[in-house]
Amino acid sequence: MTGGRPRLWELLERRGRALVSGIPLGWLSLFFLIPFLIVLKISFSEARLAMPPYAPLLVRTGAHTLAIHMHLENYRLLASDPLYLDSLLYSLRVAAGSTLCCLLLGYPMALAIARAHPARRHLLLMAIILPFWTSFLLRVYAWIGLLQDNGVINHLLLSLHLIHQPLVMVNTTFAVYVGIVYSYLPFMVLPLYANLEKHDATLLEAAADLGARPWRAFCRITLPLSGPGIMAGVLLVFIPAVGEFVIPSLLGPANQLMIGRVVSNEFFENRDWPTASALAIVLLLLLLAPIVLLQRYRRRELASA
Amino acid sequence: MNARRALLLPSALALGYAFLYLPIVSLIVFSFNASRLVTVWDAAHSPTLRWYVELLHNDQILSAARLSLGIATLNATAAVILGTAAGFALARFGRFRGRGLLSALTTAPLVMPEIITGLSLLLLFISMQQLLGWPARRGAATITLAHISFSVSYVAIVVQARLAGFDHSLEEAALDLGARPAQVFRRITLPLIAPALLSGWLLSFTLSWDDVVISQFVAGPGSSTLPMVIFSKVRLGVSPDVNALATLLITLVAAGVVGSTLWLQRREQRRGSEMRQAVTEE
């Protein structure tokens, strides 16, 4: 074992484990953990007209002393200005409503796939996943063409004489609902399907033998058993929907902004980095409980795999 | 009564698929429409390839597409390497220092609202610039780094799940027979997780290729990716060349996804039959 290469190789093998876990750990710390800490720091800083547009948190006051300037004004501003509270509540409302719509549409779909002939399930699932692979932005864009005043849907309704003047659908909260339900439907169907597919069919047969009607068997057996799948689907739709940016920008009303858009406006248009950071922190705190729930669910799924 | 119930689920499914595919179909149909008013069918002059021809002469879109292609390729390759390391460590190393942190850091980006990821990465790059003088200006490099940082998690999850589906015994047997860890990884683990690597690569590529929010935060002037160009175009309303572009992209992606799914399926079937053969020969 002489020469540079074999020795290097040996060293790598001895240190291998530490490298294999250490490199991704270092990467994710640098590009995920530290940036988040920076946001947290700036959210406690005072805004000022300079570059960077915020005051430092730590100020050297003597040779060996540092003072921390904890500035809570940004958070106080968020609580006192109704603009922020309104858009937070609006975001939560829209996310909750569209999650419910996703569930109502996605549950029968997942159930139908789970009860389809095994040979056809694969194809049906692929048809659910396929839109997810194609550009999200372009699929949301497609809805502008469908919903706008001289769009496809209005044309159809007008030519059928169901309406006499075009319905205003684009740039409304309704369009945001449509966009979110449409974009996140696969995220609802897939975990539901994964759960429903594992159900034991003999339970339903037993219920039928004992005289339960299908609807009753569904309510007493299938629905309770699919609880974890419902939870996963709901969280997977709700969490990203609250912070959604593209859908409300393209389809939503101009006078009612969702929180993602407000963060972006504060940062880029008002150049108020501390307020934008504080808003991001508040958004994250709101989503903390659902995120923790989802992580727990994921860990259980991985353990049972 | 029973017949009606038997129709209930399939019709819900049909409705769902119609909802999923109607916008895509209309996008494709109107890309062949001669009228600039995207949604009014001009029967006299349609179908036409006019918008496809215009697309080929649109330098802004072509150069944005080239930039996106480069970023997505680089991103997917780097994310597969880092993500495989992370997924392998989480699935196979048992307890080690930093395991909890690594596990949290690989799952957190999956659920983090994009707006927060974008904002925090931009603030990181600005801080780095102040402290280290790098990156001097934001552009393709910062977009790529940002994309890798969220793609790693997706690859790690896919690899970890794949490894969790196989027990340790094959790898342990090879180690017992005197193979080195690196050899075991190359000869046994890597072929086992190859499908996960392919889907991880494709997933990372797609995430990067589609990303608009995070790119918009970390991009500098003069470095617009394709989704950024599309986003700024469609904010002003529908435009037929975007339909043409969408049709091309959707066709390509659909072909790629269907092709790779079929390949993976056939590969798994072959593996299955080889395994059965090996068992019966014993």
Side-chain angles (χ1 to χ4, degrees):
Chain A
M1 279 285 175
T2 51
R5 218 184 111 82
R7 201 174 298 151
L8 180 73
W9 190 240
E10 229 170 58
L11 187 76
L12 270 179
E13 277 196 356
R14 241 181 309 123
R15 302 264 163 200
R17 283 171 68 107
L19 274 177
V20 167
S21 61
I23 291 176
L25 188 59
W27 179 279
L28 287 168
S29 301
L30 175 60
F31 288 106
F32 199 78
L33 190 61
I34 294 177
F36 174 70
L37 295 176
I38 296 175
V39 174
L40 191 63
K41 185 193 90 171
I42 294 178
S43 79
F44 287 114
S45 305
E46 191 180 349
R48 63 177 190 187
L49 282 171
M51 185 64 206
Y54 60 92
L57 211 54
L58 292 175
V59 181
R60 191 178 283 274
T61 48
H64 302 285
T65 49
L66 283 171
I68 300 181
H69 284 225
M70 257 316 226
H71 188 74
L72 295 172
E73 203 50 46
N74 307 315
Y75 289 95
R76 211 168 292 149
L77 176 72
L78 296 190
S80 61
D81 190 333
L83 169 82
Y84 303 110
L85 202 62
D86 269 359
S87 89
L88 261 177
L89 289 177
Y90 175 69
S91 306
L92 290 173
R93 210 166 53 232
V94 168
S98 42
T99 304
L100 186 68
C101 295
C102 256
L103 181 64
L104 293 178
L105 182 60
Y107 199 102
M109 289 179 79
L111 194 61
I113 300 175
R115 295 199 178 156
H117 191 272
R120 278 169 59 199
R121 276 183 215 162
H122 208 86
L123 198 68
L124 291 172
L125 272 183
M126 200 155 91
I128 296 279
I129 300 169
L130 199 58
F132 164 78
W133 285 96
T134 64
S135 170
F136 163 74
L137 179 60
L138 291 172
R139 283 182 294 125
V140 174
Y141 159 74
W143 278 102
I144 304 179
L146 289 176
L147 295 176
Q148 68 186 1
D149 292 0
N150 58 354
V152 175
I153 292 176
N154 270 321
H155 260 279
L156 192 71
L157 293 177
L158 283 171
S159 62
L160 292 174
H161 298 289
L162 288 171
I163 52 174
H164 299 292
Q165 49 191 5
L167 299 172
V168 178
M169 291 182 285
V170 85
N171 296 328
T172 63
T173 301
F174 168 75
V176 181
Y177 271 93
V178 171
I180 293 179
V181 173
Y182 174 70
S183 305
Y184 291 106
L185 190 61
F187 293 91
M188 181 63 84
V189 174
L190 293 177
L192 278 174
Y193 167 78
N195 171 288
L196 290 167
E197 178 234 21
K198 283 186 292 197
H199 287 194
D200 189 348
T202 55
L203 285 175
L204 289 179
E205 282 165 24
D209 288 346
L210 293 171
R213 288 174 169 255
W215 174 248
R216 196 171 145 81
F218 171 79
C219 290
R220 301 291 294 270
I221 299 172
T222 309
L223 195 60
L225 278 177
S226 59
I230 294 179
M231 199 182 75
V234 163
L235 293 173
L236 278 173
V237 175
F238 180 77
I239 296 169
V242 175
E244 185 51 55
F245 178 82
V246 171
I247 298 171
S249 297
L250 293 183
L251 299 172
N255 55 0
Q256 177 87 72
L257 300 183
M258 280 180 76
I259 194 71
R261 192 56 193 286
V262 177
V263 172
S264 160
N265 282 356
E266 285 298 336
F267 191 89
F268 288 111
E269 277 161 35
N270 298 346
R271 290 191 62 77
D272 188 345
W273 295 13
T275 302
S277 301
L279 260 178
I281 297 291
V282 168
L283 175 60
L284 195 61
L285 285 177
L286 275 175
L287 292 178
L288 202 60
I291 288 177
V292 169
L293 271 178
L294 185 64
Q295 304 282 49
R296 280 223 320 251
Y297 168 83
R298 246 188 243 274
R299 211 166 301 142
R300 261 207 312 275
E301 281 292 287
L302 207 62
S304 70
Chain B
M1 183 71 190
N2 251 342
R4 218 176 70 200
R5 181 160 293 128
L7 277 176
L8 198 65
L9 282 181
S11 40
L13 197 59
L15 187 77
Y17 283 124
F19 180 58
L20 281 178
Y21 284 94
L22 184 74
I24 298 178
V25 170
S26 97
L27 208 60
I28 294 174
V29 168
F30 283 103
S31 77
F32 297 106
N33 184 16
S35 163
R36 188 167 276 283
L37 290 168
V38 171
T39 49
V40 183
W41 187 256
D42 177 3
H45 305 96
S46 308
T48 169
L49 290 176
R50 177 180 163 198
W51 307 114
Y52 291 85
V53 175
E54 267 190 25
L55 195 65
L56 288 178
H57 296 290
N58 189 330
D59 286 333
Q60 189 198 15
I61 282 183
L62 289 182
S63 72
R66 267 195 299 275
L67 181 69
S68 280
L69 198 62
I71 290 175
T73 309
L74 203 59
N75 159 66
T77 309
V80 163
I81 294 169
L82 287 164
T84 305
F88 186 74
L90 287 172
R92 287 291 190 253
F93 283 5
R95 293 169 147 270
F96 60 90
R97 261 183 68 188
R99 187 183 204 287
L101 185 63
L102 183 60
S103 174
L105 284 178
T106 47
T107 44
L110 304 177
V111 286
M112 190 60 72
E114 282 177 315
I115 198 95
I116 298 182
T117 309
L119 178 68
S120 62
L121 280 166
L122 171 59
L123 291 173
L124 172 80
F125 290 132
I126 291 172
S127 304
M128 279 169 72
Q129 188 186 11
Q130 283 162 0
L131 291 174
L132 312 169
W134 189 92
R137 50 193 292 269
R138 291 185 293 281
T142 49
I143 299 174
T144 311
L145 286 172
H147 286 185
I148 297 171
S149 71
F150 67 78
S151 300
V152 168
S153 306
Y154 288 87
V155 179
I157 296 289
V158 175
V159 169
Q160 192 189 356
R162 176 84 182 174
L163 279 169
F166 289 102
D167 64 21
H168 240 137
S169 57
L170 277 176
E171 286 149 332
E172 270 168 7
L175 284 171
D176 285 346
L177 293 171
R180 295 161 149 230
Q183 255 180 327
V184 175
F185 182 77
R186 210 173 55 237
R187 303 284 294 273
I188 296 175
T189 316
L190 215 50
L192 276 182
I193 60 173
L197 298 190
L198 178 66
S199 46
W201 196 92
L202 290 173
L203 190 59
S204 309
F205 185 93
T206 312
L207 287 168
S208 165
W209 177 256
D210 281 350
D211 173 68
V212 52
V213 178
I214 294 170
S215 301
Q216 240 179 6
F217 270 98
V218 301
S223 59
S224 293
T225 62
L226 188 58
M228 286 166 68
V229 171
I230 297 173
F231 188 58
S232 61
K233 257 178 105 77
V234 301
R235 276 184 110 159
L236 307 173
V238 288
S239 95
D241 47 347
V242 174
N243 283 49
L245 180 66
T247 304
L248 289 178
L249 292 180
I250 287 168
T251 317
L252 276 176
V253 169
V257 171
V258 172
S260 62
T261 310
L262 290 178
W263 180 77
L264 283 177
Q265 233 179 333
R266 193 161 322 144
R267 192 175 175 283
E268 292 292 281
Q269 275 166 6
R270 208 172 48 223
R271 254 187 63 81
S273 70
E274 274 168 8
M275 292 262 256
R276 273 195 299 281
Q277 216 172 359
V279 172
T280 47
E281 271 169 17
E282 264 173 30

